[in-house]
């Protein structure tokens, strides 16, 4: 049964390991994350589209390896533990942030500590202004989360709805998966729109509501 909603529910994003779906699209990335000792120069960059689960994977790795989750726009220049930088491409064009990431590269390498980063695109597309940082990023090993298959999209829909405290019937998730666009970002758009419509109209999340969202109707 779908949950009847009449007021906004808090979105509590879970980054617990047990809530990550280990699908085929992320197999290479997960394999590399499991063996940090094999990372060339102690660095790894996880690439993937919006909503692909990069942040979730980075949080899991940080929790399992004592990593420091660092804001790309407020990076430490050195650390006594591994450092994890989500959305590292945000530093591009900001002189102070680029310099901080450059020094972090050097200091972690000197200390023999891993550096894990994520971005949606290859460093060649970031627009880095600091040549030394650009060369280090371009030499960083990468692992790409591939486009989602049906099983992964189903798992992501269930995860996103769970974060919003929604409990859809299994047949509803299957209905959406078969008809939606094949992208991670589309899964997020659909869940957000379903939640909005159910709240505004005070209705259960049904196939009728899902059909409207899939047809492009939002709240």
């Amino acid at each position: 049964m779908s949950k009847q909603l009449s007021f906004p529910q808090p979105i509590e994003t879970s980054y617990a390991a047990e809530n990550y779906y280990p699908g085929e699209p992320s197999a290479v990335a997960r394999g590399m994350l499991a063996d940090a000792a094999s990372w060339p120069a102690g660095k790894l960059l996880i690439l993937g589209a919006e909503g692909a689960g990069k942040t979730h994977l980075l949080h899991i790795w940080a929790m399992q390896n004592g990593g420091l989750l660092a804001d790309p726009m407020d990076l430490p220049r050195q650390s006594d533990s591994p450092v994890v930088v989500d959305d590292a491409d945000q530093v591009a064009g900001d002189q102070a942030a680029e310099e901080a990431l450059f020094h972090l590269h050097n200091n972690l390498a000197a200390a023999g500590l891993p550096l894990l980063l994520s971005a949606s695109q290859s460093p060649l597309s970031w627009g880095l202004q600091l040549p030394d940082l650009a060369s280090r990023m371009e030499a960083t090993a990468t692992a790409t989360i591939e486009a989602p298959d049906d099983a992964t999209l189903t798992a992501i829909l269930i995860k996103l709805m769970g974060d919003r405290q929604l409990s859809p019937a299994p047949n509803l998730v299957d209905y959406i998966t078969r008809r939606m666009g094949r992208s991670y970002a589309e899964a997020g758009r659909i869940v957000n729109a379903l939640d909005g419509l159910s709240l505004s109209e005070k209705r259960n999340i049904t196939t009728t509501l899902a059909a409207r969202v899939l047809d492009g109707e939002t709240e």
Side-chain angles (χ1 to χ4, degrees), residues 53-76:
K54 302 184 298 296
T55 299
H56 199 158
L57 278 178
L58 265 60
H59 275 75
I60 292 171
W61 191 90
M63 287 186 286
Q64 294 176 343
N65 295 274
L68 170 67
L69 287 161
D71 184 329
M73 303 308 293
D74 188 23
L75 292 171

Side-chain angles (χ1 to χ4, degrees), residues 77 91 94-105 130 133:
R77 295 200 172 199
V91 305
D94 186 296
Q95 181 178 350
E98 289 196 23
E99 289 179 353
L101 183 55
F102 171 70
H103 289 294
L104 185 61
H105 267 84
L130 187 63
L133 175 61

Side-chain angles (χ1 to χ4, degrees), residues 65-122:
N65 295 274
L68 170 67
L69 287 161
D71 184 329
M73 303 308 293
D74 188 23
L75 292 171
R77 295 200 172 199
Q78 57 187 10
S79 173
D80 57 4
S81 63
V83 176
V84 177
V85 185
D86 197 16
D87 295 324
D89 49 330
Q90 290 184 10
V91 305
D94 186 296
Q95 181 178 350
E98 289 196 23
E99 289 179 353
L101 183 55
F102 171 70
H103 289 294
L104 185 61
H105 267 84
N106 293 341
N107 291 327
L108 288 178
L113 292 168
L115 173 61
L116 175 62
L117 313 100
S118 79
S120 59
Q121 296 181 319
S122 162

Side-chain angles (χ1 to χ4, degrees), residues 58-203:
L58 265 60
H59 275 75
I60 292 171
W61 191 90
M63 287 186 286
Q64 294 176 343
N65 295 274
L68 170 67
L69 287 161
D71 184 329
M73 303 308 293
D74 188 23
L75 292 171
R77 295 200 172 199
Q78 57 187 10
S79 173
D80 57 4
S81 63
V83 176
V84 177
V85 185
D86 197 16
D87 295 324
D89 49 330
Q90 290 184 10
V91 305
D94 186 296
Q95 181 178 350
E98 289 196 23
E99 289 179 353
L101 183 55
F102 171 70
H103 289 294
L104 185 61
H105 267 84
N106 293 341
N107 291 327
L108 288 178
L113 292 168
L115 173 61
L116 175 62
L117 313 100
S118 79
S120 59
Q121 296 181 319
S122 162
L124 288 170
S125 303
W126 292 9
L128 292 170
Q129 303 300 306
L130 187 63
D132 288 339
L133 175 61
S135 65
R136 280 163 174 74
M137 287 307 312
E138 290 164 16
T140 301
T142 62
T144 300
I145 301 175
E146 304 294 344
D149 53 21
D150 283 358
T152 300
L153 285 174
T154 296
I156 288 173
L157 287 169
I158 293 171
K159 164 69 167 57
L160 292 175
M161 290 183 187
D163 288 344
R164 291 173 177 268
Q165 302 182 41
L166 304 175
S167 301
N171 65 321
L172 176 61
V173 177
D174 291 341
Y175 174 88
I176 296 170
T177 301
R178 290 194 301 270
R179 293 165 174 79
M180 66 180 286
R182 320 318 287 169
S183 76
Y184 298 105
E186 179 69 356
R189 183 197 72 79
I190 288 170
V191 172
N192 184 61
L194 279 172
D195 194 15
L197 275 178
S198 70
L199 285 168
S200 64
E201 298 184 3
K202 297 182 174 58
R203 297 180 56 190

